[in-house]
Amino acid sequence: DIQMTQSPSSVSASVGDRVTINCRASQGISSRLAWYQQKPGMVPKVLIYAASSLQSGVPPRFSGSGSGTDFSLTISSLQPEDCATYYCQQASSFPLTFGGGTKVEIK
Amino acid sequence: QLQLQESGPGLVKPSETLSLTCTVSGGSMSSSTYYWTWIRQPPGKGLEWIGSLYYSGTTYYNPSLKSRVTISVDTSKNLFSLRLGSVTAADPAVYYCVIYNTLSGCFDPWGQGTLVTVSS
């Protein structure tokens, strides 16, 4: 099974800051990685798929990069509505697996 | 745009079987692009993939749950189902039915989720 490790587990930043979340796969997954945003009490929402493709309707301040085993999600200018938990997910092979999540808070 | 809606008991007794149904609307269930999928999220914890079913009948299950899980589909009724046997105190969670898109490799759309509690 492919293990997904996210870091940090939480981050606190100011409005306007650049925030980067990392995700590492235990083996190479090419670009088969997606990122999700989940706000409290809400359903997870796809932000990025195929490591760097922005889902329709997602603000361009969100971007994804990486391939192989190391990936990142960047929020270029943090907004109050970006407070949420973010998950990475590998789509290289079954069983499909998620990272443990990164909670983003506003300072 | 496909839409999903979970239904089923919100309370299950220990050692019994959890049964949930996901009704699909807005499109066909015969797509070769989709896997019909269940994901769960224990309170305050992360997302856990339970399993996925392809329209051909091929299924994949989380190894940690495989012995207790069955996912099935009824295309005539536009629904797919989850059965999780021998539930314990480790199984309470919000259960989501989701589409796994093999082209994009992501889960979208999601049902609204249904909370299942385990208690006698």
Side-chain angles (χ1 to χ4, degrees):
Chain A
D1 301 0
I2 299 173
Q3 309 303 317
M4 306 300 294
T5 303
Q6 280 183 241
S7 62
S9 57
S10 66
V11 58
S12 181
S14 300
V15 172
D17 282 355
R18 182 181 184 89
V19 173
T20 297
I21 299 168
N22 300 301
C23 181
R24 174 166 288 176
S26 61
Q27 64 190 73
I29 59 170
S30 186
S31 296
R32 297 287 286 176
L33 185 101
W35 288 97
Y36 301 82
Q37 175 193 64
Q38 186 179 31
K39 297 181 180 181
M42 303 289 285
V43 176
K45 168 188 168 183
V46 179
L47 299 175
I48 302 285
Y49 63 94
S52 60
S53 296
L54 194 66
Q55 179 77 335
S56 176
V58 173
R61 63 180 179 274
F62 291 94
S63 64
S65 64
S67 68
T69 59
D70 292 303
F71 302 85
S72 61
L73 172 71
T74 298
I75 308 172
S76 60
S77 177
L78 188 66
Q79 300 301 304
E81 61 266 33
D82 300 335
C83 289
T85 300
Y86 294 83
Y87 296 93
C88 62
Q89 168 247 322
Q90 66 83 14
S92 176
S93 63
F94 288 101
L96 304 174
T97 46
F98 291 92
T102 297
K103 188 173 184 178
V104 175
E105 298 174 318
I106 300 288
K107 269 183 191 173
Chain B
Q1 172 74 355
L2 288 169
Q3 294 183 315
L4 309 177
Q5 176 69 59
E6 305 88 351
S7 60
L11 178 64
V12 182
K13 291 183 170 60
S15 79
E16 295 192 346
T17 296
L18 178 162
S19 295
L20 297 174
T21 296
C22 182
T23 302
V24 181
S25 59
S28 168
M29 291 194 72
S30 300
S31 170
S32 61
T33 304
Y34 300 150
Y35 276 79
W36 308 100
T37 296
W38 290 93
I39 289 170
R40 71 180 184 178
Q41 185 170 35
K45 295 187 179 180
L47 300 166
E48 181 180 32
W49 173 77
I50 298 172
S52 297
L53 169 66
Y54 198 44
Y55 81 106
S56 64
T58 300
T59 53
Y60 295 94
Y61 296 129
N62 187 319
S64 69
L65 300 170
K66 187 174 183 177
S67 63
R68 300 193 289 134
V69 173
T70 302
I71 297 175
S72 59
V73 65
D74 186 339
T75 54
S76 67
K77 296 182 179 178
N78 262 34
L79 59 84
F80 63 105
S81 300
L82 169 71
R83 288 176 59 84
L84 178 66
S86 304
V87 299
T88 72
D91 294 315
V94 175
Y95 285 76
Y96 297 99
C97 60
V98 194
I99 290 174
Y100 172 62
N101 186 313
T102 59
L103 295 181
S104 65
C106 67
F107 297 110
D108 184 62
W110 297 59
Q112 66 182 29
T114 187
L115 177 63
V116 177
T117 302
V118 176
S119 176
S120 55

